[in-house]
Amino acid sequence: MPLVSGNILPISYQYELASAFNRLITSNKEAYENWLSANGLQPIDNIRQKVYSISNLYVPKVYVETDRLYVNVPRIQFWVSFLPEVETRSFLTQQLLDKQFSIGDYKSSVTFKIIAVDDISPVVFTEIMEYQSISPIVVKALRPNNTLDYLSPDNQFFSQFMVEELIDRWESFYKRSYDGDRAFQFTLLTQPRRKAVSIFTDSPRCQKVVGYMLKFRLQMSPVLQEFAYVCGLGDDIGYGFGYVELLKKKK
């Protein structure tokens, strides 16, 4: 995906990227609704719960200064995982190929052009999988005084809330109760890295969302493994958080 204009991004761009992507795939309303219908879905299903998860931008060379990212490469990539499978490849090609979109704020922005839509290798899901977060994983909880708390991965409730939220989204998507095995085991493989991200910037709704970049092992039902891999883990998936990829082993 080459840069068309600009090369300076705000550090907090996840929400803007997710919003820009959603505008692209919904720009042709008829094609969008036909694609959802072919998969037994309606637009409200994607509004209530995104039927995909989106990664951060992959920028091989970047320079950070205060709240800006200086992109020092001519083209970048990002990944999207989709739960609907019927006609998805042709739909995305039609909606995305050769389209331009911009992300940024009042200080700086970058315009990109999508020049390729590539498939990734299929995954075999087992009870034990190892992942790395590509965008921050956000897990929220309410304190006794009803204020919001963002849990860190070493909190005893982090994994419990994350898996419970995953099952809730599974049930919402499939419109039935999940009657499979709910047991799980979560193991951190590295020290998690905290990342605070601003969303709704340049508006009265501006707020900070706290997530964590981490590598971890997750043992649970393969059915839930697939849903986690495709639809993301944690809260605020629709804002560009929670995208995970298989952990790449060092040779």
Side-chain angles (χ1 to χ4, degrees):
M1 188 170 66
L3 281 66
V4 176
S5 64
N7 76 317
I8 305 174
L9 286 168
I11 287 180
S12 297
Y13 65 78
Q14 279 91 348
Y15 171 71
E16 286 75 12
L17 175 61
S19 298
F21 181 82
N22 199 61
R23 286 194 297 271
L24 283 174
I25 67 169
T26 59
S27 59
N28 184 326
K29 184 178 179 182
E30 182 179 1
Y32 170 66
E33 293 181 349
N34 287 342
W35 167 67
L36 288 174
S37 177
N39 286 277
L41 301 169
Q42 298 178 2
I44 192 65
D45 295 310
N46 192 38
I47 293 172
R48 288 174 177 167
Q49 174 194 309
K50 289 289 184 289
V51 296
Y52 61 86
S53 62
I54 185 169
S55 75
N56 284 1
L57 298 173
Y58 173 62
V59 187
K61 294 181 181 180
V62 64
Y63 169 70
V64 179
E65 184 176 298
T66 60
D67 64 343
R68 300 293 108 177
L69 295 175
Y70 292 76
V71 181
N72 294 325
V73 289
R75 62 180 61 190
I76 62 175
Q77 297 172 291
F78 68 93
W79 293 268
V80 186
S81 296
F82 276 86
L83 195 61
E85 296 181 346
V86 178
E87 300 178 7
T88 298
R89 181 68 167 81
S90 58
F91 167 73
L92 291 178
T93 300
Q94 174 186 336
Q95 298 291 86
L96 302 178
L97 199 59
D98 294 326
K99 301 294 176 60
Q100 294 187 13
F101 69 96
S102 300
I103 56 175
D105 58 17
Y106 72 97
K107 290 184 181 179
S108 62
S109 65
V110 180
T111 299
F112 304 95
K113 181 178 181 180
I114 300 175
I115 62 170
V117 179
D118 298 322
D119 295 325
I120 60 175
S121 301
V123 174
V124 176
F125 296 97
T126 60
E127 288 189 358
I128 300 177
M129 307 285 288
E130 292 186 350
Y131 299 104
Q132 57 186 350
S133 60
I134 306 299
S135 57
I137 295 177
V138 176
V139 175
K140 299 188 289 190
L142 279 179
R143 299 186 180 97
N145 62 359
N146 287 327
T147 59
L148 193 62
D149 188 18
Y150 292 99
L151 302 185
S152 66
D154 53 8
N155 184 291
Q156 61 177 326
F157 296 112
F158 178 91
S159 57
Q160 176 188 334
F161 288 2
M162 183 178 71
V163 173
E164 288 177 354
E165 193 276 341
L166 179 72
I167 294 174
D168 286 345
R169 284 192 289 125
W170 189 98
E171 293 179 335
S172 175
F173 182 84
Y174 289 107
K175 298 179 177 61
R176 58 186 173 89
S177 177
Y178 176 75
D179 57 5
D181 187 0
R182 293 173 178 255
F184 72 92
Q185 192 169 20
F186 172 82
T187 306
L188 279 172
L189 300 177
T190 58
Q191 183 67 27
R193 180 165 56 89
R194 184 181 184 273
K195 190 171 183 180
V197 178
S198 296
I199 62 173
F200 307 122
T201 53
D202 304 333
S203 79
R205 298 173 62 194
C206 181
Q207 59 181 281
K208 288 280 189 182
V209 175
V210 178
Y212 289 83
M213 305 296 288
L214 61 149
K215 297 178 181 179
F216 59 99
R217 181 182 299 115
L218 192 55
Q219 181 174 347
M220 64 181 180
S221 162
V223 171
L224 294 179
Q225 297 277 20
E226 180 177 11
F227 197 81
Y229 178 79
V230 174
C231 290
L233 282 167
D235 295 296
D236 293 338
I237 301 298
Y239 295 158
F241 297 98
Y243 185 94
V244 297
E245 186 54 88
L246 297 182
L247 180 60
K248 294 177 174 59
K249 304 290 187 179
K250 291 185 178 179
K251 295 184 179 180

